[in-house]
């Protein structure tokens, strides 16, 4: 793994921000990103010259294998005591902690019990580095997307009136696992009929009925990396309103994907899709942002939204483009692709056709 280059970028970023040059990294994804260590507990301490990994006896061997560039520090009775002893020897002065991944209780414990250092809240430092993916990361995201798409194609023919959403979800998950996913990127969203107006309607015991829209929002995880895609299908021939709304969303989605290029902000891309939906008269039914970054976390930076989409896109960023129209008590449509920003455009990583699929009923 490209660990050393990531650490160099991190040290540069800390310097650039005027953050402390010592950083305690405790969040699972950031820990994995910097060190390669996948265990469920542990912390990294990054200093200007060295990098340490604190793990207890359950993980000593795994840490040595996965994070060979990190000096191991064995956690004995409890992590705080070990950290306190270690830091009092090191005497680093200021140490940064990850404010977004530290509970208030953990913060109090750090400041109360490890008084020898000055704790400084840092925010989104490693997350910023994670936004731009290297080729190795892109391969894993591509594989996750292919796995999920292949599973979707496999289960689609079995979708029929009378089957419960959660029954389809079970097959879908099994199929992804059998095709090599280590798990789901997030709980499957399968929302049919009036439930499709809930953007995040998790699969329920509702049975599929003739005339339903069904929204499938699905992602696989491979080597820690997530994919994320949405397709909406209709059960039996679409009526006029279903067809109209579907095609408004599709037009907005395709225009936004086509607008992606380095230098533009997420807000600008959001606006492309939102304008089309507003012009068609459905603006009030598109309540969420257009998209988000995807990587080790299924929701990460950069954001493609009006308010938070201030980051200019850069080659190597991976984002979703997922406009939707959700009409309460009626139903909804969302179409979502995973897109990697290239040198001059956006390349779609999800491979399923966006023509409206009609399920025989
Ligand atoms: Zn999604
Ligand atoms: Zn998404």
């Amino acid at each position: 793994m490209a660990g050393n280059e990531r650490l160099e970028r991190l040290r540069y970023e800390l310097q650039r921000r005027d953050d402390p040059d010592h950083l305690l990294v405790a969040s699972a994804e950031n820990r994995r990103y910097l060190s390669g260590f996948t265990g469920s507990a542990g912390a990294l301490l990054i200093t200007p010259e060295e990098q340490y990994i604190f793990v207890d006896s359950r993980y000593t061997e795994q840490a040595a294998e996965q994070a060979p560039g990190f000096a191991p520090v064995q956690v004995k009775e409890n992590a705080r005591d070990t950290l306190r002893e270690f830091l009092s020897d090191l005497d680093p002065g200021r140490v940064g902690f990850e404010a977004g991944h530290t509970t208030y209780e953990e913060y109090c414990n750090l400041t109360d019990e490890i008084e020898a250092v000055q704790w400084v809240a840092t925010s989104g430092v490693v997350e910023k580095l994670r936004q731009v993916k290297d080729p190795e990361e892109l391969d894993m995201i591509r594989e996750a997307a292919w796995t999920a798409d292949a599973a979707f194609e496999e289960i689609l023919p079995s979708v029929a009136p009378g089957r419960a959403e959660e029954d389809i979800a079970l097959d879908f998950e099994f199929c992804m696992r059998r095709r090599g996913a280590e798990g789901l990127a997030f709980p499957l969203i399968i929302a049919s009929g009036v439930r499709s107006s809930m953007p995040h309607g998790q699969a329920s015991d509702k049975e599929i009925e003739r005339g339903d829209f069904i929204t499938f929002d699905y992602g696989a995880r491979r080597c820690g990396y997530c994919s994320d895609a949405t397709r909406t299908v209709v059960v039996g021939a679409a009526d006029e309103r279903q067809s109209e709304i579907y095609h408004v969303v599709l037009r907005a989605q395709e225009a936004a994907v086509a607008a992606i290029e380095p230098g533009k902000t997420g807000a600008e891309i959001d606006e492309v899709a939102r304008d089309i939906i507003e012009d068609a008269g459905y603006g009030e039914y598109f309540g969420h942002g257009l998209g988000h970054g995807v990587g080790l976390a299924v929701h990460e930076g950069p954001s493609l939204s009006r308010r938070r989409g201030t980051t200019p896109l850069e080659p190597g960023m991976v984002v979703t483009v997922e406009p939707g129209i959700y009409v309460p008590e009626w139903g909804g449509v969302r179409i979502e692709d995973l897109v990697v920003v290239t040198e001059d455009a956006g390349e779609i990583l999800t491979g399923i056709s966006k023509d409206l699929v009609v399920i025989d009923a």
Side-chain angles (χ1 to χ4, degrees), residues 249-317:
V249 175
L250 182 57
R251 255 195 309 130
Q253 205 269 351
E254 289 181 332
V257 171
I260 288 184
E261 62 178 342
K264 284 192 189 161
T265 64
E268 286 175 82
I269 310 299
D270 178 287
E271 199 184 347
V272 172
R274 202 165 297 278
D275 280 352
I276 291 172
I277 290 174
E278 279 172 1
D279 287 349
Y282 294 104
E284 64 178 302
Y285 302 122
F286 177 24
H288 57 73
L290 180 68
H292 53 87
V294 175
L296 285 169
V298 72
H299 287 110
E300 56 181 51
S303 167
L304 270 56
S305 74
R306 279 178 292 186
R307 265 168 242 102
R308 288 178 301 126
T310 50
T311 306
L313 297 178
E314 287 177 51
M317 287 179 167

Side-chain angles (χ1 to χ4, degrees), residues 217 228 292 299 320 322 336:
D217 191 342
D228 189 6
H292 53 87
H299 287 110
T320 67
E322 50 178 309
E336 173 181 28

Side-chain angles (χ1 to χ4, degrees), residues 336-350:
E336 173 181 28
D337 279 321
L338 197 54
V339 177
V340 56
V341 181
T342 67
E343 293 301 323
D344 55 3
E347 179 201 332
I348 294 179
L349 300 179
T350 24

Side-chain angles (χ1 to χ4, degrees), residues 30 47 97 99 129-130 155 163 185-186 191 216 224 229 238-239 254 283 309:
N30 290 343
T47 78
F97 67 95
L129 308 181
R130 278 172 41 199
I155 61 114
R163 283 196 79 194
F186 52 89
F216 293 87
D239 65 28
E254 289 181 332

